[in-house]
């Protein structure tokens, strides 16, 4: 049986090269494929962390991908095995803003929350939701 299709997060950054540097230095992503346009803007970049991929590109006015004013907020959850404190320290060193420092919540695990240099919200944690048994309605 093949794996189900994946959900892949895609982000736009004003300074995509700086975002790639931040994600590599602070959160241990590895740069895979990257394409630039004639003006040097990043059209498409794939950053990998294990088997997971994050796609990003330069913010542009000619795309409908910009978030509409008044829409709901979004944040990304980055699961780590056990290095929440180390990732938090690396993120702070790389220019992130602390939202919540590393803590141990009542439901288990260890977590913290940061904003990357362009304001995207990231939750870093060891908690891994269990895949619930699926029932048919």
């Amino acid at each position: 049986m093949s794996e189900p299709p994946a959900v892949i997060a895609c982000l736009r950054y004003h300074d995509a090269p700086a975002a790639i540097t931040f994600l590599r230095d602070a959160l241990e992503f590895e740069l895979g494929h990257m394409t630039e346009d004639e003006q040097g803007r990043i059209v498409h970049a794939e950053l990998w962390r294990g088997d997971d991929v994050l796609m990003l590109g330069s913010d542009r006015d000619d795309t409908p991908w910009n978030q509409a004013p008044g829409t709901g907020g979004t944040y990304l959850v980055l699961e780590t095995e056990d290095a929440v404190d180390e990732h938090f320290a690396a993120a702070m060193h790389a220019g992130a803003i602390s939202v919540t420092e590393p803590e141990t919540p009542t439901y288990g695990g260890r977590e913290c929350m940061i904003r990357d240099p362009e304001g995207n919200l990231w939750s870093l944690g060891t908690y891994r939701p269990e895949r619930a048994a699926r029932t048919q309605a």
Side-chain angles (χ1 to χ4, degrees):
M1 178 181 210
S2 65
E3 291 191 32
V7 174
I8 300 171
C10 301
L11 299 172
R12 291 288 183 189
Y13 284 93
H14 296 294
D15 187 346
I20 290 170
T21 299
F22 171 81
L23 293 166
R24 291 172 74 185
D25 293 351
L27 303 179
E28 298 182 345
F29 279 88
E30 295 179 19
L31 179 61
H33 175 76
M34 184 174 75
T35 305
E36 294 178 304
D37 66 11
E38 308 79 43
Q39 289 80 33
R41 295 179 300 195
I42 296 176
V43 175
H44 176 81
E46 297 172 2
L47 287 93
W48 291 87
R49 193 167 184 278
D51 292 332
D52 297 319
V53 63
L54 171 69
M55 296 190 307
L56 66 83
S58 297
D59 194 20
R60 302 178 357 207
D61 291 333
D62 63 344
T63 178
W65 292 21
N66 298 332
Q67 186 169 340
T71 59
T74 302
Y75 72 95
L76 300 154
V77 177
L78 181 68
E79 179 192 13
T80 66
E81 295 268 335
D82 59 2
V84 171
D85 295 81
E86 291 85 355
H87 285 300
F88 179 81
M92 293 300 97
H93 181 74
I97 297 168
S98 173
V99 177
T100 59
E101 293 193 9
E103 61 186 5
T104 304
T106 57
Y107 53 82
R110 185 118 175 104
E111 66 184 22
C112 66
M113 192 167 278
I114 63 166
R115 286 197 184 278
D116 70 23
E118 288 205 20
N120 293 303
L121 197 56
W122 292 79
S123 173
L124 314 177
T126 60
Y127 179 78
R128 182 172 181 87
E130 296 298 323
R131 190 179 294 259
R134 297 182 183 183
T135 59
Q136 293 188 344

